[in-house]
Amino acid sequence: VSLRYQFDAQPVLYELNFSISSGEKIGVVGRTGAGKSSLIAALFRTAPLEGKILIDGIDTQTISLQELRSRLCLIPQDPVVFRGTLRENLDPFEERSDSDIYTVLKQLELILV
């Protein structure tokens, strides 16, 4: 994947190529100007790119932005205070039961029984 913010500008990401295995979690770190934000822009399709990004074998250009962005997660370096209840923030689309959320919080040791 290559990404440039303006059509006639030099790419800020140039021929980036890597694979992440299923179930693997990664962190993106680096100095200022290393391309962290540009990588996020490519993943979330906020800037045009050259090449393909495949997730589970699906080209991200072939699915809707809503579908793509609802399935990606970005955890910022600086903590953020969200509006609403904890429950609303943990399940903003109301797709899980209270029991499901409780089970996950327990597994993560964020609540003790």
Side-chain angles (χ1 to χ4, degrees):
V1 167
S2 296
L3 179 134
R4 62 184 87 223
Y5 288 105
Q6 295 178 352
F7 178 72
D8 56 349
Q10 292 291 323
V12 292
L13 296 178
Y14 183 71
E15 296 184 7
L16 183 63
N17 185 0
F18 63 93
S19 297
I20 301 167
S21 299
S22 179
E24 195 172 26
K25 293 174 179 56
I26 64 160
V28 178
V29 297
R31 301 173 75 160
T32 300
K36 301 177 299 292
S37 296
S38 297
L39 177 59
I40 298 304
L43 288 170
F44 282 84
R45 282 183 21 207
T46 60
L49 56 91
E50 301 164 18
K52 290 183 180 183
I53 296 177
L54 302 176
I55 299 176
D56 292 335
I58 299 170
D59 184 344
T60 60
Q61 296 286 349
T62 66
I63 60 175
S64 72
L65 282 175
Q66 181 179 352
E67 179 77 9
L68 173 66
R69 293 174 183 171
S70 72
R71 298 189 180 273
L72 295 175
C73 178
L74 175 64
I75 302 171
Q77 179 177 344
D78 296 321
V80 178
V81 176
F82 295 98
R83 289 188 165 186
T85 66
L86 178 61
R87 181 163 196 333
E88 289 168 342
N89 281 276
L90 293 174
D91 184 24
F93 303 112
E94 299 179 8
E95 297 174 335
R96 304 287 182 221
S97 69
D98 287 346
S99 177
D100 288 344
I101 293 173
Y102 182 83
T103 299
V104 170
L105 290 173
K106 188 175 171 184
Q107 289 172 343
L108 295 171
E109 299 181 8
L110 293 174
I111 56 174
L112 302 174
V113 179

